[in-house]
Amino acid sequence: MILANNLTKTYGNQIAVDQLNLDIPQGQFFGLIGPNGSGKTTSIHMLSTLLQATSGSITINGLDVTAHPQQVRRDIGLVFQESALDRMLSIEENLYFCAGLHGINKSAIKTRINSLLDLFELQSKKRASVGSLSGGMRRAVDIIRGVLHSPKVLFLDEPTVGLDLPSRRRIWRFIRNLIDDHKLTVVLTTHYLEEAAPCDNVAFIKLGKLVSEGSPEELIEQLGKTIVEVSGSNAEDYIKTLKLSAEDYMLDGRTLLIRVHKPQPNQVEQIQATLRDSADIISVRKSNLNDVFIWLSSKGQGTS
Ligand SMILES: Nc1ncnc2c1ncn2[C@@H]1O[C@H](COP(=O)(O)OP(=O)(O)OP(=O)(O)O)[C@@H](O)[C@H]1O
Ligand SMILES: [Mg+2]
């Protein structure tokens, strides 16, 4: 559904996105993750026709986005990092205006708008100005706006920033249903990595470059499935005592995180035995996408 080939964007001599290749099939839930400034929004803007790539090519549903931007726009929905709603207009006015931009007339969309407003419990607010809504309500309207024309692809750039847990859950239930029932293809960027955990595929980008890609399970497997956390006053000394190589640990204040990834039997027991007398707390837990993120963010390319 989405193919990007050597996608690149430069600003002066700064490279925001550097030869990015993506191949996202229909119905996939795809996560683009990476540190602030790594090029996620820039990539999404190029994929969604809003920004001209410096070089490289993109096709969506078989259409080249540069040659056929209008046709591509019919197939895609967007939820921006910053709200795209007119705060002076009511929810209803915003949604009808947006439907108009897609060439859908008022009577054809009325039932759909009402059922979406019901779903997000916004029916009683539909005549309120968007500027008077809470942040969570506004985000829900942004999502409704993004899917109003039943797109085949939905781009979500940090869709749930600042939302409480029930609001986030409701949005994710809604999007999950669209993926399962309508084979919607979703491209998500988020800094809440637990939201990327249900993705089918995740690409990690850093300084505009794709550094690692795979299912969340594969990325966790590459990192190592177990993390040992050691707290104590001599975290620096523990590194020397255990002879850890730079890519195998992270120091977070007084806590040392060690990834267990080599097929080495009893590694956890050895760490525990070595540090038993000097460390305050030694805990063992399963790795998660947050660990993948901090390791890839700070330790460069390889984690295997
Ligand atoms: N219009 C612009 N002019 C110059 N540089 C830009 C422009 N837009 C983005 N950049 C630069 O491109 C890089 C990537 O920015 P981008 O917004 O894509 O990052 P991001 O991954 O979305 O970050 P965040 O997680 O903070 O949203 C940054 O270094 C940014 O400063
Ligand atoms: Mg961004």
Side-chain angles (χ1 to χ4, degrees):
M1 180 58 76
I2 304 172
L3 266 178
N5 197 2
N6 289 325
L7 189 60
T8 300
K9 181 73 192 179
T10 55
Y11 292 105
N13 50 17
Q14 196 207 340
I15 305 179
V17 176
D18 195 357
Q19 310 226 347
L20 187 66
N21 291 303
L22 299 172
D23 184 352
I24 306 172
Q26 185 183 11
Q28 188 167 88
F29 182 18
F30 182 85
L32 196 56
I33 63 173
N36 290 133
S38 55
K40 303 180 296 296
T41 296
T42 308
S43 301
I44 285 203
H45 283 181
M46 289 190 284
L47 293 170
S48 59
T49 77
L50 298 178
L51 185 67
Q52 177 83 46
T54 308
S55 60
S57 62
I58 304 163
T59 60
I60 293 202
N61 201 18
L63 289 168
D64 183 290
V65 300
T66 314
H68 306 283
Q70 295 303 335
Q71 271 168 282
V72 168
R73 276 176 208 151
R74 263 178 241 149
D75 285 341
I76 64 177
L78 281 164
V79 178
F80 297 99
Q81 195 165 356
E82 269 134 44
S83 177
L85 301 166
D86 187 328
R87 297 172 70 95
M88 305 291 281
L89 299 181
S90 69
I91 293 181
E92 241 181 6
E93 287 163 338
N94 265 287
L95 294 176
Y96 283 116
F97 177 70
C98 169
L101 291 180
H102 287 292
I104 311 167
N105 72 39
K106 216 170 165 173
S107 57
I109 200 79
K110 193 169 178 212
T111 318
R112 181 160 170 78
I113 288 184
N114 276 324
S115 69
L116 288 166
L117 289 174
D118 283 338
L119 196 69
F120 285 97
E121 293 172 16
L122 284 169
Q123 197 60 253
S124 63
K125 294 267 182 187
K126 67 182 177 187
R127 297 208 170 86
S129 72
V130 162
S132 72
L133 301 176
S134 78
M137 293 171 187
R138 205 175 311 134
R139 216 72 262 255
V141 182
D142 268 310
I143 307 264
I144 296 174
R145 180 187 178 280
V147 300
L148 203 54
H149 57 299
S150 306
K152 295 189 175 74
V153 177
L154 183 62
F155 292 101
L156 299 169
D157 195 359
E158 301 193 36
T160 57
V161 166
L163 299 193
D164 65 17
L165 199 56
S167 306
R168 284 160 67 181
R169 288 224 173 110
R170 180 157 49 191
I171 285 172
W172 285 118
R173 263 199 312 275
F174 174 67
I175 289 166
R176 189 77 247 177
N177 284 341
L178 292 177
I179 297 172
D180 293 343
D181 299 346
H182 300 279
K183 286 202 101 191
L184 178 74
T185 308
V186 173
V187 179
L188 164 75
T189 79
T190 182
H191 288 287
Y192 299 128
L193 294 180
E194 66 279 13
E195 292 188 341
C199 284
D200 301 305
N201 221 7
V202 170
F204 183 92
I205 60 169
K206 186 173 160 183
L207 298 171
K209 273 199 169 68
L210 198 147
V211 174
S212 194
E213 190 183 356
S215 68
E217 296 73 26
E218 283 164 348
L219 296 185
I220 288 167
E221 180 123 18
Q222 274 171 31
L223 178 80
K225 283 186 181 167
T226 303
I227 298 285
V228 181
E229 285 194 22
V230 187
S231 303
S233 50
N234 302 311
E236 302 267 3
D237 292 344
Y238 308 152
I239 297 165
K240 285 184 207 132
T241 311
L242 294 167
K243 297 194 179 70
L244 296 174
S245 50
E247 70 272 13
D248 286 347
Y249 70 84
M250 293 286 310
L251 204 49
D252 182 12
R254 281 168 39 121
T255 303
L256 175 66
L257 305 184
I258 306 165
R259 70 186 178 117
V260 178
H261 66 110
K262 294 196 178 102
Q264 203 183 83
N266 306 327
Q267 202 187 339
V268 173
E269 290 76 5
Q270 277 171 16
I271 294 171
Q272 287 170 322
T274 311
L275 300 182
R276 191 170 19 229
D277 296 331
S278 51
D280 294 340
I281 305 169
I282 305 176
S283 57
V284 182
R285 61 169 174 82
K286 283 185 176 165
S287 318
N288 55 44
L289 271 184
N290 282 310
D291 300 309
V292 171
F293 187 94
I294 56 170
W295 243 275
L296 287 174
S297 299
S298 64
K299 300 280 176 182
Q301 304 252 331
T303 51
S304 47

